[in-house]
C-alpha cells in the first residue's frame, strides 16, 4: 500500500500529513516561517518523523496553500480550495458545505454529492473575517488566540463592534478596554463580529447540510456557535482529526487518489 | 505580433511617438462608444486612454475619494503626473457615472497641475437607449463633435473622408474577425493574450499601420501549428480591462486558454464592420450605439446574455470568468445575473472582484482562478 503526503503552507501555520491506506500515520504543524519553502520542508520532515518514515517512502506528495508552488519535493500543487473541500469530506463524509477560515483568507465551499467543490466564495476585501482578525484582537487583549473562544460562553453582554475592518475594530476594542469593559464581553463581541463576516460569505454559496468548518478558527467555540445561530444550521464537528489539518489532509487524499488511479505515476501530471 | 504587445504594454509606445514626432495631433478618449473614425477623418490619431503604468494613487484618490472605480482614478493619476501631456485633446464619455466624474475631476486637476488639461477637452454624451429618440440624439452628438473638431483643429470632415475612414477601420475589423475565428477554433493557433494585445493595439496605433501589421500577422499565422494541450477553454468578460497580465495569469495555468472574451477593450469594441453605404454619421451612430452594447444601456440584458451564450457555444467554452472592478455596479450586478443564468445552463462561472491597475491582486486572483480551473478540469474528466 502506497504512502502519500499532503503539505499545506498557510500564512500563519504550515501543516503536513502522511497517510497510508487512507489513514493518517503522521502529522505536523508549525508556525509558518518567512520563506514558504522552509515552512514546507519543516512541516514535511516533522510529519515524516512522527510517522517514523523517510522521504523515499513517500510515493506522492501534493502541496497546497499560498506556498504551494515553492515546494521542491512536491509532485504537484493543487489550490487550497480544492484541498479543503477534499479534506473536509474525509473528516466528515456527509459534508456538503465547508467553511474554511485561514490565517489570511476565508472561504465557503459547496460540495457536490461526490465531494467535489462545485461553488466557492472567498473574502475579497481585507483581513476581517480571517484568522488574522482574531490574532490581532487576541494580542490587543493580551490573550492566546485559543483563549478567545471560551470567552463567549462567559459573557452576558457582548459588545458590538462598529466596524469589522480589522484596524477600526482594534481601535474600538482598545476603547472598550480603556473604559473598563469586562474582557469576556469584548472577547464575545470579537467572536460575533467574526461570525457575522463569515456568515455573509457562507450565505453567498447557499449552504446546505451538513455544514462543516475547517481551519484553525473551527476550534473557536464562540465563533462557531454564533455562526450556527446566524445560518440557522448546525455546524458539525470533526472527530477523525484536527480541522486545522483539513488542507493537508485533502492534499494527501488527492495524492492517494492519483497514485491509486495511475499505474505509472508521473511527476507534474494533472490531477485536480 | 511583437508590435501589438509593445503597444498594449505601455502608454508611450513607438507608433504613437512616431506620429507625434511628425507634428500630427493626438486625441485621447475614454470609452468604446466614441466613433474613432471622426478623428481619423480629420487626420488626428485617436488613442484610447489607459491607466496602465500607474504606480500610486496620491492624485487619483484626492479627487475621487476611496469608494469609486479605480479605472478613472488611475487615468487621473497619470494625467496629474504628466503622462498624458502629449495629448492635443481629450474626449470624456459617460460610460458610467465614475467615468462621467472624470470629466469634472480632470477639469479641476487642470487648474491645480499646469499643462495637464489639453487644449481640446470635450464631453461627448451618449444616451442610454439605442432606439428611436436615443439614436437621433446620438446622431446629433456625433454632429456636434464633428463641428467642434473642425472648429478647434481647423480641419474639414466631409462625408467622403468619413466614408474613407470607415472603410479603413472596417479593414481592421474584418482582420480582427479572422483572428476571432482562429482563437475560437477547435484547435486554436493563438493565445488569448496575443489576440487581446492586437485588439488593444487597434485602439491606439495609427489605423493604417495597424491594418498592415494585422494582415502580416494573419499571414504568419497560416504556418503556425495549433497550441498544445488546450484542456480548459475559458471566456473572460466583465468590467473594463486592458490588462494583458490578467489574460496571461489565466493562461499560465495548466492547459488553460482564453478562447473568447467580451470586453470593451477587446472583441466587443470593434464588433462587425460598419455599414459603408448611405449616411456615414448615421452608420457610425448605428454601429457605436447599437452594436457595442454594454450594461450601461437600458433593457439590453437579454440581448447581452444571448450574445454571451452564442459566444460560449461558438468557441466551445468550458467556463466563464467574470471580473469586475470594485464599485463597478453595472458589471457587478450583471455578472451576478450572468452567473445565475449560465450556471443554470450548466456552464461553470467564476466571479472575481478586483482593482484596476497593474495586477496588484495577483496572489488572490491566482488562487480563485486555480480553483475554478480545477473545477472545470474535473468536470471535463467526469464527462469524458
Amino acid at each position: 500500500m502506497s504512502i502519500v503526503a499532503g503539505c499545506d503552507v498557510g500564512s500563519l501555520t504550515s501543516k503536513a500529513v502522511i497517510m497510508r491506506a487512507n489513514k493518517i500515520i503522521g502529522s505536523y504543524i508549525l508556525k509558518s516561517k518567512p520563506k514558504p519553502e522552509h515552512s514546507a520542508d519543516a512541516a514535511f520532515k516533522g510529519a515524516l518523523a512522527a510517522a517514523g518514515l523517510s522521504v523515499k517512502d513517500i510515493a506522492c506528495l501534493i502541496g497546497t496553500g499560498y506556498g504551494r508552488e515553492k515546494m521542491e519535493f512536491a509532485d504537484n500543487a493543487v489550490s487550497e480550495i480544492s484541498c479543503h473541500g477534499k479534506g473536509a469530506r474525509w473528516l466528515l463524509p456527509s459534508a456538503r458545505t465547508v467553511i474554511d477560515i485561514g490565517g489570511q483568507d476565508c472561504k465557503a465551499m459547496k460540495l457536490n454529492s461526490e465531494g467535489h467543490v462545485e461553488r466557492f466564495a472567498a473574502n475579497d476585501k481585507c483581513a476581517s473575517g480571517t484568522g488574522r482578525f482574531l490574532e490581532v484582537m487576541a494580542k490587543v487583549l493580551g490573550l492566546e488566540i485559543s483563549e478567545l473562544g471560551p470567552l463567549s460562553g462567559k459573557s452576558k453582554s457582548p459588545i458590538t463592534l462598529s466596524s469589522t475592518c480589522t484596524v477600526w475594530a482594534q481601535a474600538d476594542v482598545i476603547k472598550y478596554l480603556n473604559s473598563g469593559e469586562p474582557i469576556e464581553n469584548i472577547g464575545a463581541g470579537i467572536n460575533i463580529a467574526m461570525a457575522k463576516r463569515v456568515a455573509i460569505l457562507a450565505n453567498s454559496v447557499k449552504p446546505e447540510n451538513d455544514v462543516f468548518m475547517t481551519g484553525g478558527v473551527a476550534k473557536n467555540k464562540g465563533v462557531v456557535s454564533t455562526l450556527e445561530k446566524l445560518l440557522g444550521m448546525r455546524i458539525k464537528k470533526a472527530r477523525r482529526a484536527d480541522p486545522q489539518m483539513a488542507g493537508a489532509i485533502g492534499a494527501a487524499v488527492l495524492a492517494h487518489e492519483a497514485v491509486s488511479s495511475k499505474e505509472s505515476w508521473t511527476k507534474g501530471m494533472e490531477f485536480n | 505580433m511583437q508590435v501589438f504587445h509593445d503597444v498594449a504594454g505601455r502608454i508611450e509606445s513607438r507608433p504613437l511617438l512616431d506620429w507625434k514626432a511628425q507634428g500630427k495631433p493626438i486625441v485621447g478618449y475614454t470609452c468604446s462608444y466614441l466613433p474613432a473614425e471622426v478623428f481619423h477623418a480629420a487626420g488626428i490619431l485617436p488613442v484610447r486612454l489607459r491607466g496602465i503604468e500607474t504606480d500610486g494613487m496620491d492624485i487619483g484618490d484626492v479627487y475621487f475619494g476611496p469608494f469609486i472605480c479605480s479605472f478613472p482614478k488611475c487615468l487621473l493619476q497619470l494625467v496629474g503626473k504628466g503622462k498624458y501631456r502629449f495629448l492635443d485633446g481629450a474626449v470624456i464619455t459617460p460610460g458610467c457615472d465614475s467615468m462621467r466624474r472624470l470629466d469634472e475631476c480632470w477639469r479641476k486637476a487642470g487648474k491645480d497641475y499646469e499643462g495637464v488639461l489639453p487644449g481640446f477637452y470635450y464631453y461627448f454624451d451618449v444616451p442610454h437607449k439605442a432606439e428611436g429618440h436615443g439614436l437621433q440624439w446620438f446622431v446629433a452628438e456625433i454632429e456636434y463633435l464633428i463641428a467642434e473638431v473642425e472648429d478647434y483643429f481647423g480641419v474639414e470632415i466631409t462625408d467622403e473622408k468619413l466614408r474613407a475612414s470607415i472603410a479603413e477601420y472596417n479593414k481592421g475589423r474584418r482582420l480582427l474577425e479572422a483572428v476571432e475565428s482562429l482563437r475560437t477554433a477547435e484547435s486554436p493557433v493563438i493565445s488569448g493574450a496575443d489576440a487581446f494585445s492586437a485588439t488593444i493595439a487597434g485602439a491606439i496605433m495609427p489605423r493604417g499601420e495597424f491594418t498592415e501589421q494585422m494582415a502580416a500577422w494573419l499571414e504568419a499565422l497560416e504556418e503556425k501549428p495549433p497550441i498544445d494541450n488546450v484542456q480548459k477553454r475559458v471566456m473572460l468578460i466583465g468590467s473594463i480591462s486592458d490588462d494583458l497580465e490578467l489574460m496571461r495569469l489565466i493562461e499560465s495555468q495548466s492547459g488553460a486558454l482564453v478562447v473568447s472574451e467580451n470586453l470593451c477593450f477587446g472583441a466587443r469594441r470593434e464588433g462587425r464592420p460598419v455599414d459603408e453605404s448611405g449616411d456615414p454619421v448615421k452608420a457610425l451612430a448605428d454601429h457605436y450605439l447599437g452594436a457595442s452594447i454594454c450594461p450601461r444601456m437600458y433593457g439590453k440584458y437579454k440581448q447581452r446574455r444571448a450574445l454571451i451564450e452564442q459566444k460560449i457555444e461558438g468557441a466551445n467554452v468550458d467556463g466563464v470568468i467574470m471580473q469586475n472592478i470594485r464599485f463597478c455596479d453595472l458589471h457587478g450586478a450583471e455578472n451576478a445575473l450572468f452567473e445565475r443564468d449560465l450556471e443554470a445552463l450548466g456552464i461553470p462561472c467564476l466571479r472575481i472582484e478586483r482593482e484596476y491597475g497593474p495586477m496588484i491582486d495577483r496572489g488572490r486572483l491566482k488562487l480563485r482562478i486555480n480553483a475554478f480551473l480545477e473545477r472545470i478540469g474535473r468536470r471535463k474528466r467526469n464527462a469524458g
Side-chain angles (χ1 to χ4, degrees):
Chain A
M1 182 60 69
S2 299
I3 301 171
V4 293
C7 188
D8 175 10
V9 175
S11 62
L12 284 181
T13 56
S14 297
K15 289 82 61 178
V17 158
I18 313 286
M19 278 182 144
R20 178 165 47 202
N22 213 27
K23 288 199 173 77
I24 296 174
I25 55 168
S27 66
Y28 195 73
I29 180 166
L30 74 149
K31 202 166 168 54
S32 290
K33 298 169 188 286
K35 289 197 168 180
E37 52 269 42
H38 295 167
S39 305
D41 196 49
F44 184 37
K45 283 181 179 156
L48 282 172
L53 298 169
S54 64
V55 179
K56 64 176 172 36
D57 297 317
I58 306 299
C60 173
L61 182 142
I62 290 186
T64 188
Y66 90 97
R68 63 189 178 278
E69 280 158 10
K70 296 280 183 188
M71 299 179 200
E72 280 180 10
F73 48 77
D75 295 284
N76 215 328
V78 177
S79 77
E80 50 264 48
I81 290 173
S82 296
C83 286
H84 273 275
K86 209 73 184 169
R89 194 71 169 194
W90 185 89
L91 285 159
L92 184 77
S94 60
R96 289 300 289 265
T97 307
V98 182
I99 298 165
D100 168 55
I101 307 178
Q104 63 182 13
D105 64 7
C106 171
K107 304 175 273 288
M109 292 156 260
K110 181 90 142 289
L111 306 183
N112 65 14
S113 53
E114 283 85 45
H116 298 308
V117 177
E118 267 305 297
R119 198 169 175 187
F120 67 87
N123 66 314
D124 274 322
K125 304 231 162 23
C126 59
S128 62
T130 72
R132 188 77 69 187
F133 176 82
L134 292 183
E135 193 189 52
V136 169
M137 297 307 156
K139 200 171 173 187
V140 173
L141 297 180
L143 300 173
E144 288 298 315
I145 194 163
S146 57
E147 295 175 287
L148 263 183
L151 291 178
S152 286
K154 296 176 188 163
S155 168
K156 291 209 163 45
S157 177
I159 59 159
T160 303
L161 286 176
S162 57
S163 164
T164 47
C165 160
T166 305
V167 175
W168 301 135
Q170 186 182 357
D172 273 358
V173 166
I174 291 168
K175 186 193 80 183
Y176 279 112
L177 268 180
N178 291 345
S179 63
E181 185 72 32
I183 200 164
E184 60 269 23
N185 291 348
I186 301 174
I190 290 166
N191 292 336
I192 291 169
M194 174 81 178
K196 281 183 176 171
R197 291 295 304 179
V198 177
I200 294 169
L201 204 66
N203 279 326
S204 71
V205 298
K206 297 185 182 159
E208 281 176 24
N209 280 322
D210 288 343
V211 182
F212 181 58
M213 249 177 105
T214 62
V217 181
K219 292 187 253 183
N220 179 317
K221 285 179 188 167
V223 173
V224 174
S225 63
T226 311
L227 197 52
E228 285 180 328
K229 282 181 202 145
L230 292 170
L231 297 178
M233 300 166 109
R234 259 199 75 207
I235 294 173
K236 293 277 178 83
K237 291 176 184 64
R239 298 188 198 285
R240 289 182 84 179
D242 182 346
Q244 196 169 1
M245 305 299 285
I249 292 171
V253 171
L254 282 168
H256 174 72
E257 285 178 4
V259 171
S260 311
S261 65
K262 301 278 170 189
E263 281 184 14
S264 58
W265 169 249
T266 316
K267 192 177 172 86
M269 65 174 284
E270 190 178 11
F271 50 117
N272 40 43
Chain B
M1 177 73 254
Q2 191 51 43
V3 69
F4 296 146
H5 277 281
D6 290 345
V7 170
R10 59 199 169 120
I11 290 172
E12 290 172 292
S13 56
R14 194 270 308 152
L16 202 143
L17 295 174
D18 284 355
W19 180 277
K20 194 71 187 170
Q22 293 167 43
K24 294 192 279 188
I26 300 177
V27 169
Y29 64 100
T30 57
C31 185
S32 60
Y33 286 88
L34 184 95
E37 285 89 337
V38 167
F39 290 95
H40 183 267
I44 298 165
L45 177 63
V47 170
R48 181 90 181 260
L49 297 178
R50 310 170 65 202
I52 57 169
E53 300 177 32
T54 310
D55 57 5
M57 208 56 99
D58 52 306
I59 297 173
D61 261 343
V62 169
Y63 288 83
F64 282 99
F67 303 111
I68 194 165
C69 169
S70 39
F71 178 60
K73 285 205 284 192
C74 283
L75 286 186
L76 194 71
Q77 177 74 19
L78 295 180
V79 165
K81 292 282 182 189
K83 193 82 180 170
Y84 279 117
R85 278 180 197 272
F86 63 83
L87 292 177
D88 298 281
V91 181
I92 311 296
T93 304
C96 62
D97 206 43
S98 303
M99 293 308 290
R100 185 197 58 74
R101 282 185 61 190
L102 177 64
D103 177 69
E104 56 223 40
C105 289
W106 194 338
R107 278 180 207 277
K108 176 71 174 77
K111 291 175 184 164
D112 302 337
Y113 296 88
E114 203 182 333
V116 302
L117 190 71
F120 179 78
Y121 188 77
Y122 189 82
Y123 181 78
F124 179 69
D125 209 357
V126 180
H128 289 273
K129 286 185 177 177
E131 299 82 18
H133 175 67
L135 189 62
Q136 285 174 30
W137 174 1
F138 195 58
V139 168
E141 287 292 339
I142 297 175
E143 285 168 347
Y144 294 147
L145 174 69
I146 289 171
E148 288 288 330
V149 172
E150 285 180 328
D151 186 42
Y152 182 84
F153 290 98
V155 292
E156 194 183 0
I157 303 172
T158 62
D159 281 1
E160 282 65 38
K161 284 182 181 173
L162 274 179
R163 281 196 195 93
S165 295
I166 290 171
E168 182 62 43
Y169 268 73
N170 278 349
K171 282 185 205 164
R173 288 190 178 102
R174 290 189 189 98
L175 295 170
L176 282 168
E177 279 183 335
V179 167
E180 275 300 288
S181 63
L182 286 176
R183 77 187 291 201
T184 54
E186 198 181 330
S187 305
V189 294
I190 44 175
S191 68
D194 282 352
F196 196 40
S197 68
T199 48
I200 292 172
I204 293 162
M205 290 172 73
R207 198 64 182 195
E209 187 182 348
F210 172 70
T211 309
E212 278 172 27
Q213 293 284 352
M214 279 292 284
W217 182 39
L218 274 164
E219 204 178 312
L221 285 175
E222 284 172 18
E223 307 292 321
K224 199 167 178 269
I227 294 171
D228 280 343
N229 190 31
V230 179
Q231 297 164 1
K232 296 154 194 171
R233 299 169 65 96
V234 176
M235 181 184 202
L236 180 65
I237 64 171
S239 288
I240 191 157
S241 175
D242 57 349
D243 196 342
L244 284 174
E245 286 306 312
L246 177 60
M247 205 71 96
R248 289 185 185 126
L249 179 70
I250 298 169
E251 296 188 328
S252 69
Q253 312 296 305
S254 171
L257 197 75
V258 180
V259 293
S260 185
E261 44 90 357
N262 196 48
L263 300 167
C264 75
F265 255 104
R268 205 192 83 212
R269 177 177 55 83
E270 295 275 357
R272 300 184 64 76
V274 178
D275 181 17
E276 292 183 34
S277 62
D279 178 8
V281 173
K282 172 74 170 46
L284 288 172
D286 280 338
H287 178 82
Y288 280 92
L289 191 67
S292 175
I293 49 166
C294 77
R296 79 177 289 283
M297 302 299 283
Y298 288 144
K300 296 284 183 188
Y301 174 70
K302 285 184 181 167
Q303 198 179 326
R304 276 175 60 76
R305 192 184 65 200
L307 175 72
I308 299 291
E309 286 173 15
Q310 186 192 328
K311 284 191 168 204
I312 287 170
E313 199 182 335
N316 198 14
V317 167
D318 296 314
V320 182
I321 297 179
M322 305 164 173
Q323 52 87 37
N324 73 274
I325 310 290
R326 203 157 285 163
F327 307 113
C328 176
D329 295 338
L330 295 173
H331 283 283
E334 190 186 62
N335 284 350
L337 295 174
F338 276 151
E339 184 188 32
R340 180 196 68 186
D341 294 343
L342 296 178
E343 285 276 1
L345 295 173
I347 301 157
C349 297
L350 171 69
R351 270 200 294 148
I352 47 178
E353 202 177 43
R354 67 189 191 95
E355 292 287 2
Y356 178 90
M359 285 301 283
I360 43 179
D361 291 340
R362 196 177 180 90
R364 187 177 64 82
L365 292 181
K366 191 174 177 184
L367 167 65
R368 284 150 182 76
I369 291 166
N370 226 189
F372 179 63
L373 293 172
E374 285 165 4
R375 179 185 167 198
I376 292 178
R378 221 168 28 237
R379 223 178 122 85
K380 288 190 82 171
R381 269 198 310 282
N382 290 345

